[in-house]
Amino acid sequence: METGTMISLAGYFIVMLGIGLYAFKKSTSDLSGYMLGGRNLHPAVVALSAGASDMSGWIMMGLPGAMFISGFSSTWIAVGLVAGAWTNYFLVAPRLRVYTEKADNSITIPDYFANRFADNNNILRIISAVVIIIFFTIYTSSGVVAGGKLFESSFGLSYETGMYVTTGVVVLYTLFGGFLAVSLTDFVQGCIMFLALIIVPLVTYSLLNQPMTATLTEINPDMLSWLGAGSVLGVISALAWGLGYFGQPHIIVRFMSIRHVKDMPIARRIGMSWMIVAALGAVATGLCGAAYAYEKGIAVDDPETIFLILSQVLFHPLVAGFLLAAILAAIMSTISSQLLVSSSSLTEDFYKTFLRQDAGNKELVFVGRLSVIAVALCAIYLAYDRDSSILDLVSNAWAGFGAAFGPLILFSLYWKRMNLAGAIAGMVVGAGTVLFWIYAPFTIQGASLSSIIYEIVPGFLMACLAIVLVSLLTQKPNKNITDLYDEVNQSF
């Protein structure tokens, strides 16, 4: 590894750990401070934290890799995500911030569901916590895979070493600093990602010998088609990624932590500006990278490493180290968020609810830290399958959360008639449909169900249908629940 690259990366790691230490001293004395930063985050921190934890390694590796292979047809994923994020800021963010505070100061998503629907038997809490832990363990493993590939491709270290270094640093600052550390590091990481996704495609494009479109046509004419070699269903599947936003716990929990609901428009403007530029940068990196690699005869064995290759080939080691730190930032920001949300569910929704209802704050924070380590170890175990595609792992977990939680979040915020039975039905049907769509041993003309249309589409639709039908066919919610709904509704 070049000395300049080592200096940049060492500086990055030191800053991340320093932020963790600062946050540890600032606000980790109670569970609310550890898990939600005391609901007192600045809108800029909320916006970039949501964006950085959302985008993860897939925007630096997964999406450029898809563009490298498929061309313009993969752009629909970015379009769907931008539209979904914008809608999420309008429909979910303000109401969820108010509702979670009024619903007995709920600090986790399962906690909110239980308080919103007066789930005295904790059925909804248990199901939602299980969904979070299962899908987040899969989701976290995608980041660990990305870290392993980064260290193997760029530093000449083993894949396993990369997994442990990436996960180890994240666990350290998450373990001690909690939500505040995760959010502040996300803010810094979001700034690094933003700059990197502007610099790399611009420099790559400027070095092409001929127009990018001409080179892509030589590679494969389908790369310039918005449908590519696919179909209309493929476009719908790509756009449907936007549906997942309403149900991603690691994103919507950021909305719960903002200091005041009046700050939400500021967060939305910052967050959406960041996301649009980042998405365009990732798309351009894949397209320009494909053209550059073809012109220069560079062999790209794994398309998901095109950002890494461009960083090393085109830039001075000191700058290359900064760009590689951007990939680490994307990976680590998401892993830390997912570890914290999983930890909060294990602590609040299992340990406190079923094992130690009278546990004190220090005990709960300690259990939360142990949970961070446990989830990280499970993610590392899954990531030992080095052939896993980052985009595939992310897409499965994204669909699972989007279908299980997305309809439930939307209906809980906007439909007064929704009841506990409808909530349970929607969550079970949504998650079950996604799992069936991925793993069912059925094919249509030799193609699996998930290859025909993205599993979030049937999962989301079936969950909505289950919520409406079961809620209407069962008893109306009691007066306490409807009064709480009216109280929140009056705030808008």
Side-chain angles (χ1 to χ4, degrees), residues 144-206:
V144 179
V145 169
K149 287 185 177 182
L150 170 65
F151 276 80
E152 184 179 48
S153 301
S154 302
F155 310 143
L157 300 175
S158 69
Y159 173 78
E160 291 74 18
T161 300
M163 291 194 310
Y164 283 109
V165 171
T166 303
T167 311
V169 174
V170 177
V171 166
L172 278 175
Y173 71 71
T174 305
L175 199 66
F176 294 108
F179 189 86
L180 183 60
V182 169
S183 298
L184 292 177
T185 52
D186 282 353
F187 177 81
V188 175
Q189 290 161 339
C191 293
I192 295 173
M193 291 163 63
F194 185 83
L195 292 174
L197 286 167
I198 294 174
I199 294 169
V200 171
L202 284 179
V203 172
T204 306
Y205 183 81
S206 70

Side-chain angles (χ1 to χ4, degrees), residues 12-13 103 118 186 280-281 317 345 354 362 364 373 390 429 443 454:
Y12 168 74
F13 282 130
D186 282 353
L280 288 173
S345 275
F354 299 105
K362 288 186 177 180
L364 292 174
I373 297 173
I390 297 168
V429 170
T443 59
Y454 186 24

Side-chain angles (χ1 to χ4, degrees), residues 229-414:
S231 63
V232 174
L233 284 179
V235 173
I236 293 173
S237 293
L239 289 172
W241 277 71
L243 291 174
Y245 269 101
F246 309 123
Q248 304 301 318
H250 61 302
I251 298 173
I252 59 179
V253 74
R254 296 300 188 278
F255 304 148
M256 297 159 56
S257 67
I258 198 168
R259 62 192 181 190
H260 197 281
V261 71
K262 292 180 180 178
D263 290 329
M264 207 63 77
I266 300 172
R268 182 180 68 243
R269 286 190 286 271
I270 296 172
M272 291 310 304
S273 299
W274 182 94
M275 184 176 184
I276 290 169
V277 173
L280 288 173
V283 167
T285 297
L287 294 174
C288 295
Y292 185 86
Y294 180 79
E295 286 185 1
K296 305 300 180 183
I298 299 173
V300 181
D301 296 326
D302 184 350
E304 290 189 332
T305 62
I306 184 60
F307 188 98
L308 304 177
I309 294 171
L310 294 174
S311 300
Q312 293 172 307
V313 170
L314 301 180
F315 298 92
H316 183 277
L318 199 61
V319 179
F322 169 80
L323 296 174
L324 295 176
I327 301 176
L328 274 173
I331 295 166
M332 293 165 65
S333 61
T334 301
I335 293 178
S336 60
S337 299
Q338 292 160 348
L339 287 177
L340 194 64
V341 173
S342 301
S343 165
S344 66
S345 275
L346 285 168
T347 305
E348 180 77 7
D349 305 315
F350 282 113
Y351 185 81
K352 182 180 179 182
T353 302
F354 299 105
L355 299 179
R356 291 270 295 171
Q357 294 183 7
D358 57 347
N361 279 315
K362 288 186 177 180
E363 180 180 346
L364 292 174
V365 171
F366 176 73
V367 171
R369 288 173 173 149
L370 289 180
S371 301
V372 167
I373 297 173
V375 176
L377 291 175
C378 290
I380 288 174
Y381 174 77
L382 291 177
Y384 265 96
D385 179 9
R386 56 169 296 123
D387 295 324
S388 300
S389 162
I390 297 168
L391 198 61
D392 286 346
L393 288 169
V394 171
S395 69
N396 291 344
W398 186 268
F401 281 127
F405 290 162
L408 181 50
I409 289 285
L410 289 172
F411 278 99
S412 71
L413 296 175
Y414 287 95

